[in-house]
Amino acid sequence: SQQGEEDPQALSIQEGENATMNCSYKTSINNLQWYRQNSGRGLVHLILIRSNEREKHSGRLRVTLDTSKKSSSLLITASRAADTASYFCATLNTGFQKLVFGTGTRLLVSP
Amino acid sequence: NAGVMQNPRHLVRRRGQEARLRCSPMKGHSHVYWYRQLPEEGLKFMVYLQKENIIDESGMPKERFSAEFPKEGPSILRIQQVVRGDSAAYFCASSTQDSQTGELFFGEGSRLTVL
C-alpha cells in the first residue's frame, strides 16, 4: 500500500500547549500536504511543502519535511479548542496524479 | 464562488439496491477525484477523472463501482447492488486543470448507509 502512516493516532492536550503530529510515507514525492477534517465534514487544505523544502510556516502552523527519512511533522503552536479535529498528511507521489492520504491523527484540545 | 457540491449528503440503501452520488466541482475546475473514508480511518483513493475521461481508476473495485464525469453536468459515482461493506463516507475533490501542486478542494461528503 502506498498509504502513509501518522503518529500518534490520537493526541489530547490542553489549550495553549503545542501539538506535534508526525507522518511517514513510502515513495518519492513531489510535495506533501496537510489537511484538517472536522467531525462529519470535508477536508480543508492547511499547508503544502515541496520536496526541495525543509520547513514552512503558516500562522500557528509549522511543517518540516525530511525526505531522507521520508517523514514530515506538523506543529500547531498555542493550540485552541477550535483546533480539535483530525489531521491528515497527503503526498503527491512522483509520477502520479493523485494525493495519497495518511491514516490521520485525532487531536483533542481541552479548554 | 461555490465550493465543491456533493449530494446527497446522506443516503440509505438496502442491500442489492443502487447508490448514485453526485459531485459538482468548483467553478473552473476540470479535475475530479473520488475518495472513500471508513469510520475512524483515512481517505482511500478511488478514481480520478477529467471531463469525459477516466484518468486513473486504480482504487476502484472492478465490480459494481463505476464513475463518470460527462461534458455537461456533475460527476457521478455509481455503486450497483450495494453490500453492507459499502457503507462509508464518499468524498469528492476537485482541482484546476493547470494545478502543479495537487492541492485539492473537498466537498462535505456523501454518507452511504447500507441496511
Side-chain angles (χ1 to χ4, degrees), chain A residues 31 33 35 40-41 99, chain B residues 35 37 56 101 104 108 111:
Chain A
N31 65 58
Q33 304 176 32
Y35 286 78
R41 305 295 298 274
L99 282 182
Chain B
Y35 286 83
Q37 185 179 36
D56 182 346
T101 66
L104 298 181
E108 294 291 342
R111 281 153 186 81

Side-chain angles (χ1 to χ4, degrees), chain A residues 22-84:
Chain A
N22 303 297
C23 166
S24 61
Y25 57 91
K26 298 178 181 177
T27 62
S28 297
I29 62 171
N30 283 324
N31 65 58
L32 185 144
Q33 304 176 32
W34 286 88
Y35 286 78
R36 167 193 167 126
Q37 183 182 33
N38 284 39
S39 180
R41 305 295 298 274
L43 278 74
V44 175
H45 181 264
L46 294 176
I47 193 167
L48 178 153
I49 187 166
R50 300 180 193 276
S51 60
N52 61 353
E53 298 176 310
R54 291 296 166 259
E55 187 171 313
K56 202 157 184 183
H57 297 253
S58 177
R60 293 184 297 114
L61 304 181
R62 173 177 168 252
V63 170
T64 62
L65 178 64
D66 186 336
T67 52
S68 66
K69 295 181 180 178
K70 290 188 168 56
S71 67
S72 173
S73 67
L74 172 68
L75 168 67
I76 304 175
T77 60
S79 63
R80 306 165 181 167
D83 294 329
T84 294

Side-chain angles (χ1 to χ4, degrees), chain B residues 14-80:
Chain B
R14 297 190 181 280
R15 281 180 297 171
Q17 291 184 321
E18 178 179 290
R20 284 194 182 215
L21 310 177
R22 296 173 198 81
C23 169
S24 296
M26 284 182 70
K27 188 176 181 180
H29 286 194
S30 58
H31 295 200
V32 165
Y33 302 77
W34 286 93
Y35 286 83
R36 168 176 156 146
Q37 185 179 36
L38 293 171
E40 308 299 323
E41 293 190 11
L43 275 72
K44 298 284 179 63
F45 169 80
M46 297 183 73
V47 62
Y48 162 39
L49 309 106
Q50 295 177 19
K51 284 284 187 182
E52 300 185 279
N53 286 307
I54 296 175
I55 307 302
D56 182 346
E57 55 182 349
S58 59
M60 203 151 69
K62 294 285 187 285
E63 298 181 353
R64 302 190 298 107
F65 285 73
S66 62
E68 63 177 9
F69 188 17
K71 186 177 180 181
E72 302 290 339
S75 175
I76 306 283
L77 179 66
R78 181 183 179 205
I79 311 172
Q80 295 178 288

Side-chain angles (χ1 to χ4, degrees), chain A residues 8-26:
Chain A
Q9 288 188 333
L11 180 61
S12 184
I13 59 174
Q14 300 287 319
E15 263 191 329
E17 294 180 339
N18 295 341
T20 300
M21 290 160 261
N22 303 297
C23 166
S24 61
Y25 57 91
K26 298 178 181 177

